[in-house]
Amino acid sequence: MKKNENGCKYIIVTGGVLSGLGKGIAAASIGNLLSGRLKVVPVKCDGYLNTDPGTMNPIEHGEVFVLDDGGEVDMDFGHYERFMDVHAKFHWNLTMGKVFKDILDKERRGDYLGKTVQFLPHVTDRIKEWFHGIAREEKADVLLIEVGGTVGDLENQFYLEAIRQLKRDVGRDNIIYIHLTYVPVPEGVNEQKSKPTQMSVRLLNEKGIEPDVIIGRCPELLTPSIKEKIGSYCNIPASHVISGPDVKTVYEIPLIYEKEGLPAILHSMLGIYSPPDLRQWETWVRNIKKNRVNPERTVTIALCGKYTALEDSYASVVEALTHAGAHHDVRVDLKWVDTGKINSPDDARAALAGVQGVIVPGGFGRRGIEGKMHVIRFTRENNLPYLGICYGMQLAVVEFARNVCGLVGANTSEVREEGVQVDHPVIDILPGQVNVSNKGGTMRLGGHDVELKAGSRASAIYGGQTTVRERFRHRYEVNPAYIERLEAKGLVFSGKHPEENIMQVMELPGHKFFMACQFHPELTSNLRHPAPLFHELVKAALEV
Ligand code: GLN
């Protein structure tokens, strides 16, 4: 029996040779190209045993991306949302941890009716049922499934076996396998080499999977002869070998795949028709590319945090600045400032020399926060545009409490855990977080409404709207007991939770641009719709 009763098509994206080739971007770009008329639902399969990446160190694993439903997922979901304009769900991310937990819970309930629960078929069946379940629930036209890691990884074998079986279950006209590999051009040889691709496809063949399309990640466009060669070794037409060249901006990838003929292949193999409309997208990409090389206007924004060692941990912030830059047609240069190294007002002044805007993004713990406070004070006192995000809002409140309200010993109670004495906890634990001891998925997470004060700058930035929805990930908040004292000195809380007394946006009237928010506006920014706070920060920076 065919399992795709609802007519869903399956596109499987696997990767080979090495990690870091941009499989997430490849999948997101495929989704972008098909989303014109079809409902494309991205699904990601991760081999690790964590339920989600929320408990992983961002330096090791990259940014934690928070979904509207509160799920914590990895950066690939950021790519999916930005390229495909979807709001993904936590359930669309399978991890081996989630799959096993589900199976073990079932086993304890006795749902296996006395059977021996085995890797085959129970794990693979569960994975397949998970896919079909999403397709059903979402009434998806296309399920776009990215398998994490590379084909040789032991931990992904059950996903590969499940997707192999899928072809038989759903019928060959309803599934397509796309394999992303690496085509190096070794220095000195100066020729595109197909061997790694051949080896990787061979490995995939051993698992019983034959790719229908191969995307060759390469420093340049693939030549007709290498396409021919790869095609013949891997049993596909040369036209099904698609170039994945290095690009100035990842947003160019859908445009390249389109020129390489990928949509037509997908349409004909799957019997679908959903032509992409890339006209506006092309304009923004042209702006980004032009400004990288030959900018008419440039602004430099300092990103001040402690995880600066790994730019990936602030990937969405960087993307949001790219979106804003594309719409203003300006080049946004980033300056990474490690606040662990800022120990005095002079350090802050030196670090911020020549920048037109400052962002203190989200963060946790004690390290680097006094440096952030120096940075924030400098922006406040020198009329330098400032956007504080989450921790960046909390620390702006602490700085204001200390230096404007004169509350000596003001701090966030978060640092108490690390032995710092806090005399004025202007930022305190959220009431709902007091008794929480588990670390996984327990913060205040996901989308919540924000009520904006009429007539405030925040409301103007959001085009006069009074209620907007943004995504949160925090444990601490502005302590309600200090709100009056802070506002008496001129700080305005211009965004609040509609019912609870949770402050969600603050601003300083009279300052060129001093805005901070408890949520993460970068998570909902995309090339079509840049996050308003980033858009306006860049605008303010242009006027410095
Ligand atoms: N550490 C702060 C909190 O838990 C801020 C979190 C964040 O910046 N994401 O509230």
Side-chain angles (χ1 to χ4, degrees):
M1 186 195 65
K2 300 274 181 276
K3 277 271 179 56
N4 82 325
E5 311 100 68
N6 53 356
C8 181
K9 308 285 179 175
Y10 293 77
I11 297 178
I12 316 291
V13 181
T14 57
V17 187
L18 42 108
S19 61
L21 292 178
K23 189 150 37 72
I25 296 285
S29 299
I30 294 163
N32 173 298
L33 290 171
L34 288 181
S35 295
R37 293 191 189 168
L38 298 177
K39 179 161 186 190
V40 185
V41 174
V43 175
K44 167 103 192 282
C45 303
D46 286 305
Y48 51 75
L49 287 171
N50 301 63
T51 304
D52 61 48
T55 51
M56 296 184 207
N57 178 348
I59 293 223
E60 235 171 75
H61 195 76
E63 176 189 63
V64 175
F65 193 83
V66 180
L67 301 176
D68 190 74
D69 67 7
E72 294 175 290
V73 289
D74 74 9
M75 297 171 43
D76 281 333
F77 277 89
H79 302 319
Y80 304 155
E81 290 207 344
R82 285 189 283 267
F83 279 69
M84 299 165 64
D85 237 347
V86 285
H87 284 198
K89 296 185 183 158
F90 187 48
H91 191 60
W92 302 354
N93 183 202
L94 284 73
T95 69
M96 268 305 165
K98 281 188 192 172
V99 172
F100 286 141
K101 177 161 190 323
D102 189 272
I103 291 172
L104 294 175
D105 287 348
K106 258 177 146 175
E107 187 271 336
R108 288 292 83 183
R109 281 200 305 269
D111 291 0
Y112 289 102
L113 306 170
K115 285 216 183 70
T116 307
V117 184
Q118 295 181 301
F119 283 104
L120 299 171
H122 296 105
V123 174
T124 44
D125 278 356
R126 184 64 195 99
I127 292 170
K128 288 192 292 177
E129 187 37 49
W130 204 304
F131 296 153
H132 297 312
I134 297 172
R136 265 195 311 273
E137 283 156 27
E138 302 299 331
K139 300 193 173 53
D141 296 312
V142 176
L143 215 59
L144 177 62
I145 303 172
E146 178 189 343
V147 181
T150 47
V151 273
D153 301 344
L154 194 58
E155 59 174 18
N156 290 315
Q157 296 308 306
F158 294 106
Y159 294 127
L160 288 178
E161 172 58 12
I163 62 156
R164 179 193 71 77
Q165 295 175 12
L166 215 50
K167 187 174 196 168
R168 205 163 149 265
D169 295 351
V170 304
R172 57 171 54 250
D173 297 337
N174 297 316
I175 188 164
I176 186 168
Y177 297 93
I178 300 181
H179 190 55
L180 176 73
T181 71
Y182 181 47
V183 178
V185 183
E187 226 184 284
V189 180
N190 292 335
E191 195 191 335
Q192 298 178 3
K193 290 299 198 183
S194 67
K195 191 68 82 190
T197 299
Q198 292 177 41
M199 309 284 277
S200 175
V201 170
R202 200 94 351 128
L203 207 57
L204 198 56
N205 291 160
E206 273 173 32
K207 314 283 171 208
I209 296 169
E210 293 177 333
D212 301 295
V213 172
I214 292 173
I215 300 177
R217 177 69 201 276
C218 182
E220 55 203 29
L221 287 171
L222 300 180
T223 60
S225 70
I226 195 96
K227 286 188 176 185
E228 192 53 49
K229 196 166 174 188
I230 291 174
S232 83
Y233 276 113
C234 304
N235 278 329
I236 56 171
S239 61
H240 286 206
V241 182
I242 304 290
S243 297
D246 289 352
V247 281
K248 289 240 163 4
T249 164
V250 291
Y251 298 105
E252 203 182 345
I253 295 291
L255 302 173
I256 292 175
Y257 288 176
E258 207 248 351
K259 276 204 205 90
E260 293 274 304
L262 185 58
I265 296 170
L266 300 175
H267 291 170
S268 78
M269 288 195 71
L270 291 172
I272 54 178
Y273 186 61
S274 184
D277 180 358
L278 294 165
R279 279 168 299 181
Q280 274 187 312
W281 194 274
E282 247 168 0
T283 310
W284 297 316
V285 169
R286 205 177 312 124
N287 285 353
I288 298 171
K289 283 173 69 179
K290 180 197 74 189
N291 288 320
R292 291 269 154 96
V293 190
N294 190 12
E296 272 159 42
R297 303 185 295 173
T298 305
V299 293
T300 303
I301 306 285
L303 201 48
C304 309
K306 94 177 158 178
Y307 287 145
T308 38
L310 183 75
E311 301 185 4
D312 268 359
S313 56
Y314 294 129
S316 294
V317 173
V318 176
E319 292 310 313
L321 285 169
T322 303
H323 307 149
H327 280 248
H328 286 296
D329 194 6
V330 52
R331 164 160 149 178
V332 181
D333 280 336
L334 285 177
K335 179 172 184 189
W336 298 88
V337 173
D338 185 352
T339 45
K341 300 202 174 97
I342 295 199
N343 300 309
S344 68
D346 284 343
D347 288 352
R349 178 181 300 276
L352 300 181
V355 314
Q356 288 81 42
V358 174
I359 294 178
V360 172
F364 294 85
R366 174 182 176 182
R367 198 161 63 80
I369 67 166
E370 292 303 326
K372 287 180 188 171
M373 235 86 77
H374 287 304
V375 161
I376 294 167
R377 181 171 193 171
F378 183 85
T379 65
R380 183 175 57 75
E381 292 181 343
N382 293 278
N383 220 11
L384 189 60
Y386 174 74
L387 175 61
I389 299 172
C390 204
Y391 217 19
M393 163 163 155
Q394 297 174 354
L395 297 176
V397 170
V398 172
E399 190 279 322
F400 191 87
R402 284 185 189 173
N403 301 322
V404 180
C405 303
L407 295 171
V408 180
N411 216 327
T412 162
S413 354
E414 180 167 349
V415 296
R416 270 192 188 138
E417 289 176 29
E418 293 175 84
V420 179
Q421 186 180 325
V422 179
D423 299 326
H424 287 287
V426 291
I427 302 297
D428 204 3
I429 189 116
L430 280 155
Q433 292 284 327
V434 177
N435 292 320
V436 173
S437 58
N438 269 2
K439 290 280 187 230
T442 55
M443 282 187 253
R444 179 169 182 259
L445 285 164
H448 294 277
D449 284 349
V450 181
E451 205 174 85
L452 301 173
K453 200 176 199 158
S456 65
R457 179 136 194 204
S459 165
I461 287 173
Y462 280 91
Q465 293 181 80
T466 47
T467 308
V468 293
R469 190 171 174 84
E470 291 284 1
R471 294 188 195 170
F472 293 77
R473 181 175 193 253
H474 64 131
R475 237 181 269 284
Y476 295 83
E477 63 159 343
V478 176
N479 185 342
Y482 285 91
I483 291 173
E484 247 183 57
R485 266 177 280 180
L486 293 160
E487 291 207 312
K489 290 283 183 189
L491 186 155
V492 172
F493 289 109
S494 49
K496 301 177 185 178
H497 188 279
E499 286 104 38
E500 294 162 64
N501 200 21
I502 303 177
M503 300 303 111
Q504 313 200 116
V505 186
M506 64 149 281
E507 58 190 74
L508 295 182
H511 190 285
K512 190 169 272 164
F513 185 96
F514 195 105
M515 302 294 306
C517 48
Q518 185 59 75
F519 50 80
H520 290 270
E522 70 275 21
L523 297 178
T524 45
S525 188
N526 66 43
L527 195 52
R528 290 193 179 88
H529 310 288
L533 283 161
F534 282 88
H535 189 264
E536 294 304 299
L537 171 72
V538 171
K539 190 166 161 205
L542 273 166
E543 288 158 11
V544 169

